[in-house]
PDB file of all heavy atoms in Angstrom:
ATOM      1  N   PRO R 242       7.854 -19.856  -1.454  1.00 74.00           N
ATOM      2  CA  PRO R 242       8.016 -20.055  -0.016  1.00 74.00           C
ATOM      3  C   PRO R 242       7.358 -18.937   0.776  1.00 74.00           C
ATOM      4  O   PRO R 242       7.178 -17.821   0.277  1.00 74.00           O
ATOM      5  CB  PRO R 242       9.542 -20.022   0.170  1.00 74.00           C
ATOM      6  CG  PRO R 242      10.036 -19.150  -0.955  1.00 74.00           C
ATOM      7  CD  PRO R 242       9.110 -19.435  -2.109  1.00 74.00           C
ATOM      8  N   GLN R 243       6.993 -19.235   2.006  1.00 73.00           N
ATOM      9  CA  GLN R 243       6.492 -18.208   2.906  1.00 73.00           C
ATOM     10  C   GLN R 243       7.656 -17.298   3.283  1.00 73.00           C
ATOM     11  O   GLN R 243       8.715 -17.760   3.696  1.00 73.00           O
ATOM     12  CB  GLN R 243       5.902 -18.849   4.156  1.00 73.00           C
ATOM     13  CG  GLN R 243       5.593 -17.859   5.273  1.00 73.00           C
ATOM     14  CD  GLN R 243       4.472 -16.907   4.916  1.00 73.00           C
ATOM     15  OE1 GLN R 243       3.469 -17.313   4.372  1.00 73.00           O
ATOM     16  NE2 GLN R 243       4.653 -15.637   5.213  1.00 73.00           N
ATOM     17  N   ARG R 244       7.449 -15.993   3.124  1.00 73.00           N
ATOM     18  CA  ARG R 244       8.491 -15.029   3.471  1.00 73.00           C
ATOM     19  C   ARG R 244       7.997 -14.155   4.619  1.00 73.00           C
ATOM     20  O   ARG R 244       6.831 -13.789   4.668  1.00 73.00           O
ATOM     21  CB  ARG R 244       8.846 -14.151   2.270  1.00 73.00           C
ATOM     22  CG  ARG R 244       9.474 -14.911   1.097  1.00 73.00           C
ATOM     23  CD  ARG R 244       9.922 -13.941  -0.002  1.00 73.00           C
ATOM     24  NE  ARG R 244      10.604 -14.622  -1.080  1.00 73.00           N
ATOM     25  CZ  ARG R 244      10.024 -15.054  -2.194  1.00 73.00           C
ATOM     26  NH1 ARG R 244       8.719 -14.863  -2.346  1.00 73.00           N
ATOM     27  NH2 ARG R 244      10.709 -15.644  -3.137  1.00 73.00           N
ATOM     28  N   GLY R 245       8.906 -13.819   5.519  1.00 74.00           N
ATOM     29  CA  GLY R 245       8.538 -12.947   6.619  1.00 74.00           C
ATOM     30  C   GLY R 245       7.668 -13.662   7.640  1.00 74.00           C
ATOM     31  O   GLY R 245       7.714 -14.888   7.795  1.00 74.00           O
ATOM     32  N   THR R 246       6.846 -12.904   8.344  1.00 80.00           N
ATOM     33  CA  THR R 246       5.981 -13.456   9.371  1.00 80.00           C
ATOM     34  C   THR R 246       4.960 -14.405   8.748  1.00 80.00           C
ATOM     35  O   THR R 246       4.271 -14.028   7.801  1.00 80.00           O
ATOM     36  CB  THR R 246       5.228 -12.324  10.102  1.00 80.00           C
ATOM     37  OG1 THR R 246       6.172 -11.411  10.650  1.00 80.00           O
ATOM     38  CG2 THR R 246       4.361 -12.891  11.212  1.00 80.00           C
ATOM     39  N   PRO R 247       4.872 -15.640   9.246  1.00 87.00           N
ATOM     40  CA  PRO R 247       3.871 -16.570   8.688  1.00 87.00           C
ATOM     41  C   PRO R 247       2.468 -15.977   8.752  1.00 87.00           C
ATOM     42  O   PRO R 247       2.047 -15.459   9.784  1.00 87.00           O
ATOM     43  CB  PRO R 247       4.005 -17.805   9.589  1.00 87.00           C
ATOM     44  CG  PRO R 247       5.399 -17.737  10.116  1.00 87.00           C
ATOM     45  CD  PRO R 247       5.685 -16.278  10.300  1.00 87.00           C
ATOM     46  N   THR R 248       1.754 -16.060   7.662  1.00 92.00           N
ATOM     47  CA  THR R 248       0.399 -15.525   7.612  1.00 92.00           C
ATOM     48  C   THR R 248      -0.592 -16.535   8.162  1.00 92.00           C
ATOM     49  O   THR R 248      -0.310 -17.733   8.269  1.00 92.00           O
ATOM     50  CB  THR R 248       0.013 -15.192   6.160  1.00 92.00           C
ATOM     51  OG1 THR R 248       0.062 -16.397   5.379  1.00 92.00           O
ATOM     52  CG2 THR R 248       0.956 -14.164   5.558  1.00 92.00           C
ATOM     53  N   ALA R 249      -1.778 -16.052   8.496  1.00 93.00           N
ATOM     54  CA  ALA R 249      -2.837 -16.952   8.942  1.00 93.00           C
ATOM     55  C   ALA R 249      -3.180 -17.956   7.852  1.00 93.00           C
ATOM     56  O   ALA R 249      -3.475 -19.121   8.136  1.00 93.00           O
ATOM     57  CB  ALA R 249      -4.065 -16.144   9.342  1.00 93.00           C
ATOM     58  N   ALA R 250      -3.130 -17.516   6.594  1.00 93.00           N
ATOM     59  CA  ALA R 250      -3.424 -18.416   5.470  1.00 93.00           C
ATOM     60  C   ALA R 250      -2.394 -19.541   5.403  1.00 93.00           C
ATOM     61  O   ALA R 250      -2.748 -20.711   5.168  1.00 93.00           O
ATOM     62  CB  ALA R 250      -3.447 -17.628   4.164  1.00 93.00           C
TER      63      ALA R 250
END
Side-chain angles (χ1 to χ4, degrees):
Q243 169 67 44
R244 295 186 176 94
T246 303
T248 61

